[in-house]
Amino acid sequence: MSSINAHHTPRRVQGSPGAWRDAHHQPPRRQEQAARTPAEILQGHRPRRTDPLRVLDLLIDLFNAEHTALEKTVSHKTRQERADFLRRFFRDLRNKANFATVPDPRNLGDRHIRAMVAVWQREKLAPATIQTYLSFLRGLARWLGKPGFIRNPAYYGLAPAEYQRHEYAQCDRSWTAAGIDIDALVERVSAYDRYVGASLRLIRAFGLRRKESVMFRPHLGVVPFEATGLPTEERQAEHYVRIKEGAKGGRLRFVPVDTEQRIAALAFAKAVVQSSDAHLGDPRHSLKRNLRRFDYVMARFGITAEGLGATAHGLRHEAMIDHYCDKAGVAPPVRGGGDASDEVDAAARLSVARLAGHNRVRASGAYLGGLLARQAALRAQQQGKMPGASGDEGLPEER
């Protein structure tokens, strides 16, 4: 039985603007455009007669809320990053790829993509960055009615090492691995800034992301089991934490309040906020400023890769590794592994993935590492390889 559950819907309709909406990257539809289709709007801006960047802005206005492949909207963070990238991409065609003119987005060709991929190769961008950029370009192609226009990375001459991400953690990024006295450091941070201290406690106890912790409402975010809609046989606690605000993709998940650590973290957070509907950011400031404050406090206390050798996200790693140890009874591969059976390992990974708010079991590998050493050796032998040769392999998507 899994300890964390998520609700998934095939389609999420965009609602009214939230408190943290960035109107620049997803402005409200202009009134004069409301009765016209996107095709009709674009017809009024003919190529060679309209500034290409003006056409790009129109496309962003019309389509930037859409997911690249699914029938749902994307987060405001994704909208901002995609809009910033697309505007920079077209500028870089002239500034870095040496095209004499910036093409109209509707006339974007294979030669433009190849030229920019060559720029990325020269700049030695990380594989994850290149994958993200190609995904954003696939979104643009979809807006233009050209699905399939953006090909796979190898088509553009990229070697596997240049575009394949490492899905599995190569090292332990937790605070424990960095030699940090977690309780003592969190206490020091709490004494300096009670809001940030409360966020760190929630990250450690519930595995929240930074933004999720800042946007969490300690009073309204705790619900009785009956309000979760989860199957009765999955009940593990009287109360659950409801996590949606700030979650990646807006995916809703529930985590049971089933340990003393979780109870204490919630109690501290409730004591910090000033009203029953308040979130864990300073109410005098915007979300953006509260996130900046969080980062400032992390830097002040040396909680950076360059300082103590661990980041705030490392505390989320701590939560995932602790959860795996609890479920599997052994340490995960990133900490040396243990002799867990395939079934126990798969169940523990599924539970970690759900705690983290991911849909795929494979995503847990980013915190836990690849297969346990025993399983990797067995798989290598089955494939006719030397033991250990496949230690970087992961679990199948469905187990």
Side-chain angles (χ1 to χ4, degrees):
M1 181 184 300
S2 170
S3 64
I4 290 86
N5 296 271
H7 285 178
H8 307 294
T9 56
R11 181 179 179 89
R12 177 167 60 85
V13 179
Q14 183 180 10
S16 59
W20 313 112
R21 177 169 178 162
D22 185 342
H24 175 65
H25 297 284
Q26 189 54 42
R29 187 80 173 266
R30 296 184 179 91
Q31 189 170 359
E32 65 271 17
Q33 297 179 359
R36 303 163 63 195
T37 67
E40 290 171 341
I41 294 169
L42 289 169
Q43 281 177 357
H45 298 79
R46 296 181 181 180
R48 299 183 182 178
R49 294 187 179 181
T50 307
D51 181 353
L53 295 181
R54 168 61 182 151
V55 175
L56 179 62
D57 282 340
L58 268 176
L59 290 167
I60 290 171
D61 288 352
L62 291 168
F63 300 111
N64 200 29
E66 296 182 4
H67 191 277
T68 301
L70 304 178
E71 292 295 329
K72 69 172 191 175
T73 58
V74 297
S75 70
H76 296 293
K77 178 175 181 289
T78 296
R79 299 177 201 183
Q80 177 175 337
E81 291 175 348
R82 182 161 56 189
D84 288 344
F85 163 75
L86 290 174
R87 293 184 178 108
R88 186 172 64 252
F89 176 87
F90 279 88
R91 291 195 302 268
D92 285 349
L93 282 171
R94 180 172 53 200
N95 299 334
K96 293 185 177 182
N98 299 320
F99 283 91
T101 60
V102 175
D104 185 288
R106 292 164 291 187
N107 294 331
L108 192 66
D110 189 72
R111 64 194 180 102
H112 299 114
I113 306 302
R114 287 183 175 277
M116 283 306 301
V117 169
V119 170
W120 301 340
Q121 287 178 298
R122 290 197 302 270
E123 294 179 345
K124 299 186 183 303
L125 298 188
T129 301
I130 290 177
Q131 288 280 13
T132 299
Y133 286 177
L134 290 175
S135 176
F136 287 160
L137 288 172
R138 288 190 189 95
L140 174 63
R142 184 172 181 266
W143 301 349
L144 296 168
K146 298 179 179 180
F149 171 64
I150 301 300
R151 309 287 287 274
N152 62 63
Y155 174 81
Y156 300 111
L158 288 163
E162 293 178 299
Y163 66 84
Q164 288 183 349
R165 311 179 195 220
H166 292 292
E167 290 192 332
Y168 304 106
Q170 305 299 305
C171 62
D172 186 348
R173 300 184 183 279
S174 68
W175 285 21
T176 294
I180 296 173
D181 185 334
I182 300 176
D183 291 335
L185 183 54
V186 172
E187 285 293 341
R188 288 172 54 210
V189 171
S190 299
Y192 179 77
D193 188 310
R194 64 187 188 281
Y195 293 107
V196 177
S199 284
L200 290 179
R201 293 166 191 266
L202 290 174
I203 293 171
R204 184 185 185 189
F206 294 96
L208 303 188
R209 300 177 177 90
R210 176 195 65 154
K211 188 175 180 180
E212 290 172 342
S213 71
V214 173
M215 296 185 73
F216 183 70
R217 301 174 189 271
H219 293 281
L220 297 181
V222 181
V223 299
F225 173 78
E226 292 74 16
T228 65
L230 301 175
T232 303
E233 60 271 19
E234 293 188 10
R235 180 173 189 151
Q236 297 181 58
E238 293 296 321
H239 291 87
Y240 280 66
V241 160
R242 180 183 186 277
I243 303 165
K244 184 174 176 65
E245 289 185 292
K248 182 175 290 187
R251 290 192 291 268
L252 172 66
R253 70 186 187 274
F254 294 96
V255 181
V257 184
D258 58 352
T259 67
E260 291 298 324
Q261 184 186 60
R262 290 175 175 175
I263 293 170
L266 281 174
F268 187 91
K270 288 179 179 179
V272 165
V273 296
Q274 300 176 11
S275 65
S276 60
D277 64 343
H279 55 75
L280 266 181
D282 189 325
R284 299 171 298 176
H285 305 312
S286 66
L287 172 63
K288 186 175 182 179
R289 185 166 176 181
N290 277 317
L291 291 174
R292 284 205 306 265
R293 172 66 178 183
F294 182 99
D295 293 340
Y296 166 78
V297 174
M298 293 300 98
R300 181 181 179 88
F301 283 86
I303 307 173
T304 63
E306 299 76 17
L308 295 175
T311 64
H313 196 70
L315 202 53
R316 178 168 153 92
H317 280 250
E318 190 84 34
M320 301 308 158
I321 291 173
D322 286 349
H323 189 72
Y324 179 90
C325 292
D326 179 60
K327 297 300 176 184
V330 296
V334 77
R335 283 191 178 172
D339 195 23
S341 68
D342 287 359
E343 293 75 15
V344 169
D345 180 57
R349 285 174 182 270
L350 173 61
S351 191
V352 167
R354 288 178 171 174
L355 174 62
H358 292 294
N359 289 330
R360 300 173 301 145
V361 175
R362 193 168 59 190
S364 64
Y367 307 98
L368 308 173
L371 290 174
L372 295 173
R374 181 188 65 79
Q375 295 169 292
L378 178 61
R379 180 167 291 187
Q381 290 174 346
Q382 291 172 343
Q383 294 176 345
K385 300 177 182 178
M386 293 296 292
S390 61
D392 197 39
E393 291 185 44
L395 290 170
E397 287 195 41
E398 299 294 336
R399 288 297 296 268

